[in-house]
Amino acid sequence: MKIEQILEGKPFMTEFGIVGYSTVVLITEGEQKILYDCGARGCALQLKDGLKKAGVTPHDITDVVISHMHFDHVGNLPLFKNAQIHMSEVEWKNVLEQPDEWHCIQTREYIKQRGGLHFVAEGDFLSESVKVIELPGHTFGLIGLQCADTILCSDAIKNRYEMWEKMKLMSVDEALSIRTMERIKAEARYVYTGHDTLLDTTNDIHKESVHFNIRFANGDILPI
């Protein structure tokens, strides 16, 4: 089994709102190529480039796991026409019946038109070594993947500051989020969070700054 981070999420927002640059991870096991989340539409080119560097194309992806239906995690789903789509039934029912301001309605309608959605739950295996785990709190239906000592958790833990400082959480149930975070830290050595680099649960790095560049329309680069 091989785990590759295709896009590294970033933990920042602006005065105009959330940027929404989220983590995308590729798991290869045998003939399966499992993509965990697929990012916002604004990073489609970076996503394709990241897959190319990993030696695959969107058509090679056999499975796409949707952690939850927020816009920054599902916008590029139409790129993966050959993939089986996996999601929790709880998440799907919520986006159908009680969508909030973060849910991606366009992706919801795409899935309804495409069909073939496969519901997964705690303990299901997508391959020999890739197990589904339920990580509620940020949304009630958020799911992650567990591969031995590594957990892909999306926004169940969004970044290093949530993990180590226990910042006020953006969640539908804060107490549930905290319990989920504690479970992740207890069961994993390595964690792919929703908006940060790969984190090691034994190494507190929250005081280290996250670095990235902002590119303006005129081509200027601003290091942050």
Side-chain angles (χ1 to χ4, degrees):
M1 181 178 60
K2 184 177 182 181
I3 304 176
E4 302 171 84
Q5 187 166 264
I6 302 301
L7 292 180
E8 181 182 293
K10 298 298 182 183
F12 69 97
M13 61 188 301
T14 75
E15 60 184 303
F16 301 106
I18 292 175
V19 175
Y21 199 85
S22 62
T23 299
V24 177
V25 179
L26 174 66
I27 302 173
T28 302
E29 185 165 38
E31 297 300 314
Q32 282 186 273
K33 299 186 186 304
I34 303 168
L35 200 68
Y36 182 65
D37 282 343
C38 55
R41 289 294 295 168
C43 66
L45 295 179
Q46 289 87 345
L47 176 60
K48 287 182 178 179
D49 186 57
L51 289 171
K52 184 178 180 180
K53 290 177 180 177
V56 300
T57 71
H59 293 289
D60 296 326
I61 301 301
T62 60
D63 304 85
V64 175
V65 178
I66 295 176
S67 65
H68 63 301
M69 281 289 292
H70 286 176
F71 77 96
D72 51 333
H73 296 265
V74 298
N76 293 304
L77 188 60
L79 293 176
F80 305 100
K81 301 185 184 303
N82 297 330
Q84 173 72 65
I85 304 169
H86 307 275
M87 190 192 316
S88 82
E89 188 171 9
V90 171
E91 189 69 17
W92 183 241
K93 285 184 176 179
N94 281 344
V95 77
L96 288 177
E97 300 170 4
Q98 297 179 314
D100 63 28
E101 63 269 29
W102 309 112
H103 283 127
C104 186
I105 303 306
Q106 294 93 333
T107 301
R108 182 191 70 182
E109 295 307 303
Y110 168 76
I111 294 173
K112 287 168 63 176
Q113 182 179 18
R114 169 176 161 161
L117 177 61
H118 179 239
F119 294 131
V120 291
E122 176 82 27
D124 290 343
F125 279 83
L126 299 183
S127 68
E128 183 177 347
S129 306
V130 181
K131 183 173 70 172
V132 175
I133 55 175
E134 296 176 358
L135 303 172
H138 179 68
T139 70
F140 287 118
L142 192 150
I143 57 171
L145 299 178
Q146 187 164 18
C147 311
D149 65 349
T150 300
I151 287 180
L152 289 60
C153 74
S154 186
D155 285 357
I157 300 177
K158 291 185 284 298
N159 52 58
R160 65 191 66 186
Y161 312 109
E162 277 196 350
M163 177 178 281
W164 298 116
E165 294 184 353
K166 297 185 178 179
M167 295 169 57
K168 183 173 176 57
L169 301 163
M170 198 174 109
S171 61
V172 295
D173 188 318
E174 188 170 326
L176 190 55
S177 277
I178 292 172
R179 290 198 294 273
T180 289
M181 290 172 63
E182 293 304 319
R183 174 193 177 181
I184 294 168
K185 289 191 284 185
E187 295 185 9
R189 168 71 187 272
Y190 302 103
V191 181
Y192 286 96
T193 59
H195 296 272
D196 210 332
T197 187
L198 175 66
L199 300 180
D200 183 337
T201 60
T202 67
N203 180 24
D204 180 351
I205 62 166
H206 79 273
K207 294 182 180 179
E208 297 180 12
S209 298
V210 178
H211 299 285
F212 53 89
N213 295 325
I214 293 177
R215 177 176 289 125
F216 293 94
N218 66 357
D220 290 346
I221 304 293
L222 176 65
I224 300 295

